Amino acid sequence: MFTAQRRAVAAALLTACLLAPAATGCAPGDGAPAAARARHTAATPAGQEGYTLPRPTGPHPTGRDTLHLVDPSRRDPWVPSAGAREVLVSLLYPARRGHGADGERAAYLSPREAELLVEGQKLTKLVTARQVAAFRTSARTGARPAPGRHPLVVLSPGFTLHRATLSVLAEELASHGYVVALLDHAHESFGTDFPRRSGSGTRTLTCAACDRVEQAPDDAGEKKVLARAARNRAADISFVVDELTGGTPHATGPRHRDYAPLIDTRRIGAAGHSLGGNAAAVAAGTDRRIRAAADLDGTFFAPVPRAGTGRPLLLLGTEDGHTPRAEDTTWLRQWHHQRGWKRWLTVTGTGHLSFTDLPVLGARLGVTDPTAPLSGERSRRITTGYVTAFFDHHLRALPRPLLDAPTPTNPEVTFHRP
């Protein structure tokens, strides 16, 4: 198994460690590398039944809806017998105060999704699905959208990871006036609850794509499967943009409202973590509506098409994996191909998952990862700060000096100009 894939497996194992209750030990599963170990620094408060994600820093409260979209023009690439390609979207948006903005906080994961996450990491003896599912987001369901037309950012998660793992970033962007489409790509996570097409109940789709990667005969074969996955995700991103800006004609299930009037179609961006970051950059090269893309520690299994090399690109990653001298040379290759605005940043003390919610969840449970010592709070502030500044600059034409050079307030961030 090639290095990037081994790193992804280690990251997935660490995911469950970060979710483990602080009152128990967190040991790696069978065959897990030492990097998957986590250290407990505080006990879980007695009687604590749930946790809430940090409040975003923007001026708007945030609302959330869930959309089930079916693309009749494409067959599912991993389970062809399933028929048309499906995407599940958590749509976050700036909400009006006093119009449902104090409603119920949206759930982070369902009990079944949490169960599959724990089982996938072989940690059922250390953490329960109930503990994981107890987390709540800051976004409120049923909140009325704020008036006006807003930029749209589409977010794609890491391979095997549920879309919920980018909730902190999604809520931060929404609080600053963005509409955010947070995607789950069918059959690419350990488990995601999709509505039945009949409109009655749900069924849980698991990671058939993971099986394809594992069945590949060699390193080159694995890379080929992941490149295909990135291109498929780019097509999902474009499909979601079509649906959100054209009245969602292929949405199924209950519909609360048409979101097209909220979106300024001249200001659309994409971002993602790991494979999702590769997909976002590819989408900027295949869809002229996507004006800027951000890749959070994602290898470029699929190169960005030439049309996208003139679009703004933000690379934000780890020192171990993505400096110009790192073993993963795809960032250096893509950097030299980029003809437009570009930034290459790495963050000291981070691991592959530091750009997701998982360090934040770990901090809530008093859990730290000694291989990625940057705190959950600093990881959150750096990730949300630089990504929001990037889209502010390129979708809103706002000056953001944060992107120009290192700053004393962010000593962990290094700018690379190879």
Side-chain angles (χ1 to χ4, degrees):
M1 184 179 290
F2 63 90
T3 301
Q5 186 65 15
R6 285 198 300 270
R7 187 165 57 247
V9 171
L13 287 163
L14 179 57
T15 298
C17 282
L18 289 173
L19 292 174
T24 68
C26 185
D30 294 340
R37 296 188 180 95
R39 178 181 295 120
H40 302 299
T41 57
T44 304
Q48 182 73 52
E49 296 181 353
Y51 302 85
T52 303
L53 296 184
R55 184 184 300 275
T57 66
H60 299 281
T62 58
R64 197 183 88 170
D65 196 1
T66 303
L67 309 178
H68 176 214
L69 305 178
V70 181
D71 184 354
S73 70
R74 293 187 297 143
R75 185 171 294 274
D76 187 274
W78 312 117
V79 185
S81 61
R85 179 65 163 168
E86 298 178 68
V87 184
L88 201 59
V89 181
S90 288
L91 195 74
L92 293 96
Y93 51 86
R96 298 190 188 203
R97 296 189 181 278
H99 292 271
D102 57 351
E104 182 179 357
R105 294 184 186 273
Y108 192 74
L109 289 170
S110 75
R112 178 59 176 158
E113 290 166 332
E115 179 182 12
L116 286 170
L117 175 63
V118 173
E119 288 179 352
Q121 307 313 319
K122 299 181 177 154
L123 291 171
T124 53
K125 295 181 179 179
L126 299 176
V127 62
T128 69
R130 178 180 177 182
Q131 289 166 320
V132 177
F135 279 90
R136 292 293 181 268
T137 71
S138 294
R140 310 283 182 161
T141 57
R144 187 175 177 184
R149 299 179 76 85
H150 311 278
L152 169 67
V153 175
V154 185
L155 298 180
S156 178
F159 191 63
T160 77
L161 296 180
H162 192 282
R163 70 188 188 281
T165 56
L166 291 180
S167 293
V168 168
L169 175 58
E171 292 182 355
E172 182 71 14
L173 288 166
S175 78
H176 284 275
Y178 291 85
V179 173
V180 183
L182 181 51
L183 310 189
D184 244 314
H185 309 268
H187 304 290
E188 295 185 22
S189 76
F190 281 125
T192 299
D193 294 339
F194 274 70
R196 295 187 183 279
R197 296 189 189 183
S198 64
S200 175
T202 63
R203 82 277 197 211
T204 304
L205 303 185
T206 54
C207 194
C210 300
D211 297 335
R212 294 290 187 91
V213 172
E214 293 299 325
Q215 291 163 5
D218 52 23
D219 178 275
E222 290 178 338
K223 290 179 179 178
K224 185 176 180 179
V225 174
L226 290 168
R228 179 189 180 197
R231 288 190 289 268
N232 283 327
R233 286 188 176 208
D236 289 343
I237 290 170
S238 289
F239 167 65
V240 169
V241 172
D242 289 341
E243 298 295 282
L244 292 178
T245 59
T248 61
H250 299 120
T252 62
R255 297 291 304 124
H256 299 294
R257 57 181 67 88
D258 175 8
Y259 290 101
L262 295 180
I263 297 170
D264 184 344
T265 57
R266 300 166 301 174
R267 299 184 293 169
I268 299 175
H273 170 246
S274 196
L275 186 69
N278 186 185
V282 171
T286 57
D287 190 331
R288 64 172 54 186
R289 297 169 299 180
I290 298 172
R291 295 178 52 189
D295 179 355
L296 309 181
D297 211 47
T299 296
F300 284 96
F301 295 107
V304 176
R306 179 171 174 76
T309 58
R311 306 282 169 83
L313 176 66
L314 172 66
L315 302 175
L316 182 65
T318 64
E319 280 190 330
D320 287 344
H322 284 123
T323 64
R325 297 169 300 282
E327 183 177 351
D328 180 1
T329 61
T330 64
W331 276 31
L332 189 62
R333 179 194 68 199
Q334 194 58 53
W335 176 264
H336 289 309
H337 287 168
Q338 289 298 126
R339 298 173 290 110
W341 187 103
K342 56 187 177 182
R343 294 291 185 275
W344 182 341
L345 313 179
T346 56
V347 187
T348 303
T350 56
H352 187 56
L353 296 177
S354 296
F355 309 98
T356 73
D357 295 357
L358 300 176
V360 176
L361 302 186
R364 288 288 193 265
L365 295 171
V367 179
T368 60
D369 171 21
T371 69
L374 190 67
S375 72
E377 178 61 16
R378 285 300 295 155
S379 295
R380 174 179 78 91
R381 289 190 176 276
I382 289 171
T383 302
T384 59
Y386 280 91
V387 174
T388 302
F390 172 72
F391 286 120
D392 279 350
H393 184 56
H394 294 290
L395 300 184
R396 288 177 154 156
L398 298 175
R400 289 293 182 261
L402 182 67
L403 301 170
D404 295 336
T407 63
T409 55
N410 294 296
E412 306 93 339
V413 178
T414 300
F415 282 62
H416 299 280
R417 295 181 176 88

